[in-house]
Amino acid sequence: MKLSNRVFSALLLISFIILATTTEMGLADKICKTRSDRFSSVCFSSNSCAIICQQFEKFEGGQCEFDGVFRRCLCTKAC
C-alpha cells in the first residue's frame, strides 16, 4: 500500500510540474496592440488593417477592434 501511495504522489508531482511549465510558456505568447498611425478612418476590414500595419508600420499584423465608440485599426506584435 505504501508503494502505491508513493507512486501516486510522484505522478501527481510530475503532473503539477508539467502543468506549471505549460502555463508559463503560454504567457510568453502575449500580443501587444497599438493604434495604427497610418490607418486613420473607421476600420471595416481587418485584412486591410493588417496590410497597412505589416507593410508601412513594420508590425506582424493588425485587426479592427472597437476603440471606444469607433472601430479602429490596431497593429499587433508579440510582446
Side-chain angles (χ1 to χ4, degrees):
M1 190 70 167
K2 286 187 178 187
L3 182 61
S4 64
N5 283 342
R6 285 184 180 177
V7 171
F8 177 74
S9 298
L11 290 175
L12 188 63
L13 180 63
I14 290 170
S15 65
F16 282 140
I17 291 171
I18 291 171
L19 180 64
T21 304
T22 305
T23 304
E24 188 174 310
M25 288 184 343
L27 293 176
D29 296 330
K30 187 175 178 181
I31 301 295
C32 292
K33 299 176 184 177
T34 304
R35 189 169 171 184
S36 174
D37 291 329
R38 297 269 181 120
F39 201 104
S40 59
S41 63
V42 177
C43 188
F44 293 109
S45 170
S46 288
N47 189 36
S48 298
C49 172
I51 290 169
I52 297 294
C53 290
Q54 290 169 346
Q55 291 182 357
F56 298 107
E57 299 187 42
K58 306 302 181 205
F59 282 87
E60 295 172 2
Q63 59 191 21
C64 297
E65 289 188 11
F66 280 101
D67 182 27
V69 178
F70 301 106
R71 286 176 54 92
R72 302 285 185 202
C73 176
L74 299 177
C75 297
T76 58
K77 67 177 178 178
C79 297

